[in-house]
Amino acid sequence: MPVKSLESFLFERGLVGTYPIESLKNASLGIDVDHYVSRLLTSKREQYLDAIGGFPTSLKLYLESDLQVFREYDITPVFVFSGSPVANQLEASGHYAAAAPEAAAAAINASNSGPMSSSATSTTRTAKEAILAQRHKGWTQWNNMHANNQSSYIDQPIPPSEPFKYSIPLDTKRFQSDLIDYFISLDIRFQVAPYSSWFQLTYLLQNEYIDAIYGPTELLMLSSVEKFILGMEFPNKEYRFVDRTRVLSEINCSSEEFIDICMTVGNDLQPYTLSPLRMYPVQQLFEVALEMVLSSGTDFYAYQLMNPIKNESVQSVGRYQKGISALKFMPVLKENGKVELYSPAERGEDRTTNSAGSPYSSASSTASLETIPNDVHDVVAQRLPHEYYFYQSIGLVSGKLMDAITTGVYPDEPPLDGGSSESYRKLVKSSVELFKNKEINLLTQPINRYYQIKPIKHVKWFAPDDAVTLANRVTPPIFDRINHLVVKTSQPEREFSLEQFLSMFNESEDLTKSFVSDKVLFPNSVPLKEKLSTPFDLLATAFVRFLSLLGFFDFDSSQKILKVTSWGRILLDMTKIGVDSEFIEPIFVLLMFLKTGVLSLREETVPATTSALSKATLRSYSKESSYILVLTRILSIFRLQQKPSNYHGPIDRKTLVFRDHLDYVKENLNDLFEVALVSSLAAGEFDRLSLDNTGWQKKIVAAMPFKLSTPSTVMAMIWQFYLQKFLHNGNSKSDALNLIASTFNTSKVVPNLDEELKRSLNFVRQFGQVLGALSKANLCEKQDYDLVAEALEFIEKAFADERV
Amino acid sequence: MKGTYGGKRREGNGNSNNGVNRNPNANIHSGAFYETEETTKTFNDRLNYLLATSISTEATVTVTTGVKYSGVLAACNPEGPNGVDVVLKFPKVVDKGFATSSIDQLTSHLKENLVIKGEDVAELQLHGVNFSGEGKVDKEAKEENEQKAEAKVEFKTSSKPAAPTTERKIKSEFKTDTDISGANTVIKERELEKWVPDDHETFDLNESLEDNTASWNQFAVNEEKFGITSTFDEHLYTTRINKNDPNYSHRVKEADRIAKEIESQGASGNVHLAEERGIIVDDSGVDEEDKYSGVDRRGDELLAALKLNAKSNPPKAKKYVPPTLRSQPHNADPAIISSKAAVIEPQATHSKEHKNHEPAAEGGHSHSRKKNQLDELKEFSEKFKVPYDMPEEVKAMLKKNNENSPKASQAALKVNPSLPPKPTSTPPTNASSSSSSKGARAGRDLTPSANKVELRKPPTRMSQGHTPVHSPSSGRHTNISRRRNISQGSFFGSKGPLASKKDFSKNFNMFIKGKEAFEQSNAVAKSKSNAASVFVIEKPYFTAPTWFSNVEQSYKTLFPDEHTAIQRSQMKMQQRSMSAMSSPGSPHMMGVPGMMMGMPMGPNGSPNPYMMAPSANAGMYMPFQPPAFYPPVMQMMPMGDERGGSGTPPPQNPGSPLGGPSFMNAGLGGPMPPFNYSAAVPFQPVMGSRSFRQGFQNQSYQNHHNRHRAHDR
């Protein structure tokens, strides 16, 4: 989040310079991913992303063309993601209450969030609230439209009219793993900062890892950054940069006054707009504040102190102080691999410039820039071991759990569809037992005792007051229960994949013999060669522990006997019944979802969501409608191979609701696997010196399952509308195909549509088989399987039909 | 209408309002008061109109002796030195006034025309002037004083039919085309004929123009069918290509090479450009709007930049030009200098004879003049920014020249004012077109080379004047040709990019770096012969949940308490207002002396957008001012004098709402030209509204009135 309204101010005042991209030739360019993505995905782009979920595919399109330009000029990009949020950011993003107040406010105020209302309300509402409100508004509009078109709508789906995203940049965290995966595949350097990405970039710049920063306007607050790039205009082969000295002198502001203004209008480190600026429109905040400073020498800190409304005063003074302090004491990942505070003195920011008239440094005589107070953790966040930050920096862990243990709150925010369904809420509640307790225990076990006794609460947006304290302390610790499970193949070239893993298990005669180790690996006394040495062994070990935690294996740690449970049997048999390797992960997610038992495949969610199918279809083809329902549900996890595109087409909330269930399961699976891996690493079971950063990224991070975001609902909708058309148009396949081609623009987006349809059909078939096995083992309801079997028949017929 | 046209006529006449007078009985006193040129002009125009319309109507002239003549107004000369000269046709004496002779006597002197000189005209009374074609203006005149006039004007709508000379009755309503043309109102219908193609004209319905393979020569057909011989010669429109030139093939190759170079530049990122070039691009995922219509918003800065460029650049401060050089056009226009440099350069490099002549010509000028030129160029080079490095070829060329004959090339680089600024005249035309174009290109690229030193120190330069903001639209083509030669600009200063070689894969890794550190210390330890044991990775539980600190204080204690903060804030306020005092010229308190705040000073004299703010503010009223109705107020406005002169209104305020009303007020107390704001501000809120205009007008009325009365007493 940039300094509010500063950027447009700079452009209006002509304080932004231009150079051709050539001038960056051979340079290393540090890119702030948040800033960069906000540049690429402007408000016009990917407007329906939140209605279909998944990765914004058009981002890849822009990335590709930009990377091409970089290659042309031998520019080495270094992408830096932001890491954990600092205290102010946590507060503003609704972390502590799982965005519950924001969600509530959004539901109430959704109507006035439109593009036209740029009035005072938008200054005070947080970004989170605006996002939720826009989604809410989008769905309301869509529901209305759907209801209005009931009479006329038969088989031609209607595209939505209201965007689901407005002006607030997408949260890059949502698809950070996808981007990391993409960067790894292209050998592009990236780094996840421990906290603020632009601080990390400043560090990289100062230590000459990069030559220039492409970052947000906050960089103007750092006097160690002389100038930086604000925007790239690739079509013009130009870039726009800002020179700090020049800006400050032209607006006639001292550094302190500038920071004072930034902290009041709102910026990355202090996202709130403080009074007296709250009444001004967002677009003019900076200008107004500057005018106040220039005309009357306003000191905003003093203003906060003098604010007659005491509540607000205390709150804003606190936020202001945290913002300033975060600017002074921001931790960065340093060259030596340690995460340490990057103080102004270390940044080489001149002490004298900061002392005069500064709102914070001239306070007491003892205070100098070298002073580091003892409660920085209140400003930033509590500190974690360097090792954890390292795993975060290479993308091995997403950081969500790390934030949970530092803040003491594990929030579950509303999903894309709003999360009103009972089953989703049940799923969220049950995740505590299934995943979260284990995760927290595994993660805190290797680190400072403080974290082991620190209560960590699970906060849900739908019941913020009903926080569940996660069972952090378990005896024996989870890790002790699983650390005898070890996979040692010592095949250095073997790459980890679920298929490899399953076939390895299937090859094993006796699981206990093969995968249970008599002694534990972690003590330092164990010689290196007896430890895990290859990435495959590391990942497979983590995975078998992960499966035993999930109940696919039964491991008796006292007896040291490993057995397959009936669920595990189904999983292991997947390779036997010929499930394609690419489908193992999605089917595993579906299995896990069924295992939670919150909703069966045929069951309607409560409260029910309107289907995108027409009334006519539902009425005259009720049987087929239920087929379509299960099919779309299964297909909602199918990953469509498509070209990058900016999606404009129909949406379906019902499918999205189910997809959100799967997404939630998948995310938790990912967290649990990450934690199983980290616990193994942190205990020292793996030779951590055997890999350099590139090796870590390529061999471990890239091979980890569940990393990529859950696919969008597009494939499910393609089938949904295909089948609906097929029903209404006298079972004509070509008509249905034509409809799909025109509504989804498949000729461009999915060039090999036919193949994709076949592939997805195959997926449904294979899932049908797995479900059959499940039903045989009495692990799912028989009706479920029957319905899927019938639906499969129906879809096969609909697809094979060639009667024109 | 009646007026007195004495020697003071030019001083103006206040009864300009009768055109819209809603109060026919109001007596408007107008005194001799100062008028701005424009106001006077409007009055003169009105008078001229009145006189022109009155020609051929009846007029009564009272001369200074009191004799009144009436007759048909034949002519008048409002430009006369002492008033309006009048010619009356068929004059007769109406009143003998104070004349001693009788009316008959006077009448006997009269001939067909009576010419009355302006100085003799005491009063001119015009009857039945028809301003609009309907209605007549009735005027009564009453003389009071030679230098004052009092007019009573009455409109009597359509009390008298229009001039009888017109044959047709003038319709007062709107006339249609038929009325005007007087066409016959009977409309005939024509018989419609079916079109039948001639035999040779038959064609297939599905045929299109492109389908016809036979070549089509429009001239031949035209000649054959209609006998028209065309005189078309394409060489009238293009440059004739001399295909017999010995270098022809060589030049064609060169042209091809250049064309290829341009085409091969790739259209990366620009799908549309690629499509124009016929490259098949994968444009899936780009909707039509993105492709053809939408602005590429990767970076909203593009839009902002366009906005910026759309705004007229603030006028540059005039720099001093020595009187001897003022006549030379290039002093005003840097583009001419550069183009001159561009012209001369090829001479220096390509034609040896020229090179030898140049210094001789140059030598003719005095030394000081040369120096002036040099300074001029230097100054220009400081202002002129091209963020490119010198192309390699030019560098090499320059170097060579310098080695060979430093003086000659130096001289060639300088502007030779004796040369015509036309670039095309210098190289011999047809024979060497390709070489000249090459030279011109090199020459253009040379301009930045003069700024080489300048380019190397960007920070200082950045702080003064403008950054090189390119208009994306205009810069595009030139950039394409320049781009090829650019290695790197000055973003990095003189160092250039140097990182990129640092290792990301080993650094930032606590395991590897930890081991390295361990081995280093171990090596030290070994030398002391007490080798440490094996390297152990730091256990994560050693890390405390708090960050390193060096004082037992909260971060909150680093902030001043309320008392201190408020004190400091007041100090700041004082400083700001003091610095504002010290620069009374700028009401927005810019240009604050740096030392007061210990802060960097704003660039002196650079067209700071802020600096423009006050004038822009004042400019905002301009469009709303009804030009003729506010003379007294305008008189008070200090900018009244610049109003007539410059036709260009100051640019609109660049920063949108410079200060809400509160800031306006804050500004009010400040030291500023007293009438600028205080007079203008109260009007602002109602500006442009109808009620305001009326109020304004009444006020000006009032002003007239009061003024006059004051004068009377």
Side-chain angles (χ1 to χ4, degrees), chain A residues 426-444:
Chain A
K426 221 163 111 192
L427 187 63
V428 170
K429 282 182 194 157
S430 64
S431 72
V432 172
E433 267 309 307
L434 276 170
F435 302 104
K436 297 198 166 83
N437 283 341
K438 297 166 188 165
E439 289 164 5
I440 295 298
N441 184 270
L442 277 174
L443 197 62
T444 53

Side-chain angles (χ1 to χ4, degrees), chain A residues 11 13 19 22-23 39 66 208-209 211 236 246 257 296 299 335 359-360 370 372 374-375 381 383 693, chain B residues 298 301 462 483 489-490 498-499 504-505 507-508 545 547 550 553-555 558 560 568 573 576 610:
Chain A
F11 278 107
R13 288 289 161 88
Y19 275 133
E22 267 91 345
S23 61
R39 286 308 176 116
D66 292 355
E208 296 179 344
Y209 281 90
D211 299 298
N236 277 356
R246 177 167 172 248
E257 284 168 324
S296 61
D299 181 327
E335 216 172 5
Y360 42 90
E370 294 302 329
I372 300 170
N374 62 357
D375 54 357
R383 188 183 180 203
N693 292 358
Chain B
R298 282 180 293 171
E301 66 271 33
M462 289 339 310
R483 260 174 212 146
S490 49
L498 35 84
F504 267 91
S505 60
N507 291 317
F508 301 103
W547 299 93
N550 55 11
Q553 278 180 332
S554 165
Y555 67 94
L558 300 184
R568 208 196 37 230
M573 207 176 290
R576 279 292 183 188
Y610 251 108

Side-chain angles (χ1 to χ4, degrees), chain A residues 588-644:
Chain A
F588 179 72
V589 174
L590 274 166
L591 270 186
M592 192 59 217
F593 171 73
L594 292 174
K595 194 164 181 289
T596 63
V598 293
L599 185 76
S600 72
L601 280 174
R602 63 174 202 289
E603 253 177 321
E604 192 67 61
T605 52
V606 183
T609 320
T610 14
S611 168
L613 293 175
S614 68
K615 279 273 180 303
T617 316
L618 293 172
R619 214 183 305 113
S620 26
Y621 302 97
S622 64
K623 191 73 192 159
E624 284 82 356
S625 299
S626 63
Y627 295 157
I628 294 176
L629 175 69
V630 282
L631 288 170
T632 52
R633 283 182 168 185
I634 295 166
L635 285 164
S636 67
I637 193 134
F638 177 81
R639 191 173 299 277
L640 171 70
Q641 298 297 325
Q642 65 169 63
K643 289 195 177 175

Side-chain angles (χ1 to χ4, degrees), chain A residues 291 294-295, chain B residues 580 585-590 610 613-614 617 658-659 672 677:
Chain A
E291 194 58 45
L294 293 179
S295 59
Chain B
S586 58
H588 279 265
M589 293 157 214
M590 296 309 296
Y610 251 108
N617 250 343
L658 245 187
M672 52 183 63
Y677 271 133

Side-chain angles (χ1 to χ4, degrees), chain B residues 223-459:
Chain B
E223 199 170 343
E224 178 199 323
K225 275 185 123 172
F226 309 107
I228 296 168
T229 332
S230 166
T231 56
F232 171 78
D233 177 8
E234 74 166 351
H235 298 298
L236 290 175
Y237 304 96
T238 63
T239 312
R240 187 186 291 275
I241 296 171
N242 185 359
K243 295 192 178 174
N244 300 327
D245 190 278
N247 290 330
Y248 175 69
S249 64
H250 173 73
R251 259 183 246 136
V252 166
K253 258 186 217 157
E254 172 70 6
D256 276 351
R257 187 187 63 77
I258 293 168
K260 263 189 203 133
E261 212 166 63
I262 293 169
E263 281 167 3
S264 65
Q265 262 162 22
S268 63
N270 191 335
V271 186
H272 196 180
L273 188 63
E275 185 177 303
E276 274 174 356
R277 290 191 185 160
I279 302 164
I280 294 159
V281 246
D282 175 22
D283 55 0
S284 54
V286 184
D287 58 29
E288 279 177 354
E289 181 168 353
D290 285 344
K291 231 165 96 184
Y292 300 110
S293 155
V295 178
D296 195 323
R297 289 294 163 92
R298 282 180 293 171
D300 276 334
E301 66 271 33
L302 179 62
L303 192 68
L306 283 171
K307 258 162 115 187
L308 187 76
N309 285 325
K311 263 175 225 158
S312 60
N313 282 327
K316 276 178 194 145
K318 279 188 182 165
K319 31 177 197 183
Y320 175 70
V321 178
T324 46
L325 300 174
R326 276 183 195 157
S327 60
Q328 289 169 11
H330 67 259
N331 284 321
D333 187 357
I336 295 175
I337 300 188
S338 64
S339 74
K340 275 190 178 183
V343 176
I344 294 157
E345 221 292 320
Q347 290 176 330
T349 49
H350 291 288
S351 52
K352 288 219 165 154
E353 316 85 55
H354 270 80
K355 198 165 87 182
N356 293 336
H357 291 310
E358 276 319 313
E362 189 72 23
H365 297 287
S366 71
H367 181 68
S368 71
R369 183 163 183 159
K370 226 193 258 175
K371 201 165 176 319
N372 273 333
Q373 295 284 352
L374 206 63
D375 290 348
E376 205 67 52
L377 256 179
K378 251 186 210 159
E379 200 183 335
F380 161 54
S381 78
E382 271 158 29
K383 297 267 151 62
F384 181 66
K385 285 174 204 78
V386 183
Y388 309 115
D389 248 14
M390 182 167 35
E392 282 310 312
E393 48 198 85
V394 179
K395 234 188 239 168
M397 228 151 64
L398 256 185
K399 215 174 167 190
K400 224 178 185 176
N401 278 340
N402 278 338
E403 278 164 14
N404 292 347
S405 53
K407 263 200 175 169
S409 68
Q410 244 179 6
L413 271 175
K414 268 177 242 159
V415 175
N416 184 346
S418 64
L419 275 178
K422 243 180 152 186
T424 43
S425 60
T426 355
T429 43
N430 244 343
S432 65
S433 67
S434 83
S435 77
S436 84
S437 77
K438 200 176 165 192
R441 267 197 304 135
R444 190 181 48 206
D445 280 335
L446 185 81
T447 327
S449 74
N451 313 328
K452 197 180 153 201
V453 185
E454 174 53 35
L455 286 172
R456 294 293 178 178
K457 38 171 191 178

